[in-house]
Amino acid sequence: MAKRVWVWTEVTDNAPHRGSLELLTLARALGTAEAVVLGPADADALASIGNHGAAVIHHGDDARYAEYLAEPQAATLATMAGADAPDIILFSSTPSARDVVSRLVAKLDVGIIANATDVAYDGDDLRVTVPWGAETTGTVTLNGSKPHLVQLRPKAFAAEEVGGQAEVKAVDVAIDDSTLRTRVVENVVEASEGPNLEDAAIIVSGGRGLGQPENYALVEELAKTLGGAPGATRAIVDAGWVPYSHQVGQTGKTVKPTLYVACGISGAIQHIAGMKGSKYIVAINRDPDAPIFELADLGIVGDVLTVVPKLTEQLRNS
Ligand SMILES: Cc1cc2nc3c(=O)[nH]c(=O)nc-3n(C[C@H](O)[C@H](O)[C@H](O)COP(=O)(O)OP(=O)(O)OC[C@H]3O[C@@H](n4cnc5c(N)ncnc54)[C@H](O)[C@@H]3O)c2cc1C
């Protein structure tokens, strides 16, 4: 019998989250894809989810799902899974999904494999691929109690429009008032120019080799000139030079641009884990033995403070 695969699908301001749409591609490969949307979503949002391959959308449209933190979502999902157990529930690696899934594992008393990049059936066993650093991947086999919960990294799959139309089923679970404890009072959208990091075709990232926070402006200038987005290593995020939303790597964002320019970045495995899928990698580093050069398609041995402004100027004039 075809496996039933739920995708916990985030919808914010009537836009389905790209990571959730990516997981519908995986869900269709594993069995029958069903989306679970808890919170307001208009007809266009639901149509988009169907268009991306959900055969069924379980929709709980109560505004309180969006107004409160993860507790009512987790409680409803646990009740739904208890009554109508799917084989798998997939979550994207977003902060909200982490909040929901951690509560759900406790309620269902099942395990969770997080940070995965692939999921496939081998007979009835579910094999989940998880990266350990940049070079090594592990495979975890799940054959215990269901549903199997897996949280996947963004961009592990492409979101595909397949032209489908989903059957929308109302979620028939009453919200338990005791779960309405922590309310979201304000959402602040960080102002940014240009494409966001996950969607950018060109990324220029800076590392500790920039020397001091003010020099990150060189990275931003080059990114802007190329029509791309600026990224960063954890070293300079931890140092407070740029916000965490810029961090690329194992504990930051996974990116897959056409061009990735690494400026003053050593190439630690935790950074490489987030950008090794880039099509072309250009590295600028004054140390000819920096590990980043092993990965780079084009390496420039030199001082970033000299090379980056020259590059920006050349590109502006070309
Ligand atoms: C659990 C864990 C998770 C982590 N997650 C991440 C993550 O998500 N993302 C991440 O990036 N890191 C992560 N790290 C940190 C990672 O191990 C490295 O410490 C970090 O990536 C190093 O950043 P960097 O390349 O900017 O700095 P450094 O390693 O200090 O490298 C600086 C480079 O700049 C070069 N340089 C110096 N001056 C110049 C100059 N003037 N011109 C040109 N080149 C110059 C140097 O030769 C050197 O190669 C993680 C670490 C751990 C333990």
Side-chain angles (χ1 to χ4, degrees):
M1 211 169 80
K3 306 289 183 191
R4 291 180 61 218
V5 186
W6 287 5
V7 175
W8 183 76
T9 304
E10 288 181 73
V11 175
T12 308
D13 295 333
N14 284 315
H17 189 271
R18 176 181 282 276
S20 309
L21 298 180
E22 289 165 8
L23 293 187
L24 287 171
T25 303
L26 169 63
R28 281 187 292 112
L30 294 169
T32 305
E34 302 182 20
V36 179
V37 178
L38 298 178
D42 70 7
D44 285 348
L46 298 177
S48 170
I49 295 166
N51 185 23
H52 283 84
V56 175
I57 301 173
H58 303 273
H59 187 201
D61 66 355
D62 195 309
R64 288 175 295 174
Y65 287 122
E67 282 166 21
Y68 287 82
L69 283 183
E71 289 110 322
Q73 296 245 0
T76 298
L77 268 175
T79 307
M80 289 170 69
D84 183 28
D87 296 278
I88 314 170
I89 310 181
L90 302 176
F91 294 82
S92 190
S93 290
T94 64
S96 309
R98 279 190 204 112
D99 265 4
V100 171
V101 87
S102 54
R103 289 170 167 82
L104 187 61
V105 293
K107 287 179 191 299
L108 294 178
D109 198 18
V110 295
I112 162 88
I113 304 296
N115 199 30
T117 52
D118 200 7
V119 181
Y121 270 109
D122 177 10
D124 253 0
D125 292 348
L126 197 65
R127 298 215 190 280
V128 182
T129 306
V130 186
W132 302 97
E135 305 294 335
T136 318
T137 53
T139 307
V140 183
T141 302
L142 295 173
N143 50 18
S145 30
K146 288 181 186 173
H148 297 313
L149 305 187
V150 185
Q151 192 165 27
L152 287 111
R153 297 183 74 121
K155 299 256 168 137
F157 295 87
E160 291 171 356
E161 295 190 36
V162 290
Q165 227 178 344
E167 178 192 354
V168 180
K169 293 183 176 174
V171 170
D172 187 20
V173 177
I175 292 179
D176 178 350
D177 282 348
S178 70
T179 65
L180 303 177
R181 286 185 300 191
T182 320
R183 188 161 195 187
V184 178
V185 288
E186 191 186 11
N187 278 309
V188 180
V189 180
E190 202 178 289
S192 65
E193 272 182 41
N196 74 40
L197 202 51
E198 291 104 318
D199 298 329
I202 297 175
I203 293 174
V204 182
S205 278
R208 197 147 42 191
L210 290 166
Q212 53 191 28
E214 294 72 31
N215 293 335
Y216 188 74
L218 301 176
V219 165
E220 290 176 311
E221 270 307 300
L222 181 54
K224 197 172 165 190
T225 306
L226 288 167
T233 64
R234 175 164 161 179
I236 68 168
V237 169
D238 284 354
W241 298 9
V242 288
Y244 171 69
S245 56
H246 287 47
Q247 186 180 316
V248 172
Q250 186 181 323
T251 43
K253 287 177 177 157
T254 305
V255 295
K256 269 190 187 172
T258 307
L259 173 65
Y260 190 89
V261 187
C263 308
I265 291 175
S266 58
I269 52 167
Q270 296 89 353
H271 185 76
I272 288 175
M275 46 64 83
K276 65 178 175 174
S278 308
K279 191 161 180 199
Y280 301 108
I281 296 170
V282 175
I284 306 162
N285 196 304
R286 69 178 176 193
D287 174 6
D289 296 323
I292 191 76
F293 286 134
E294 287 166 29
L295 194 72
D297 298 285
L298 175 68
I300 301 172
V301 179
D303 189 328
V304 273
L305 305 183
T306 314
V307 176
V308 175
K310 278 202 175 137
L311 206 53
T312 308
E313 193 189 322
Q314 287 278 329
L315 285 161
R316 271 209 202 108
N317 296 337
S318 67

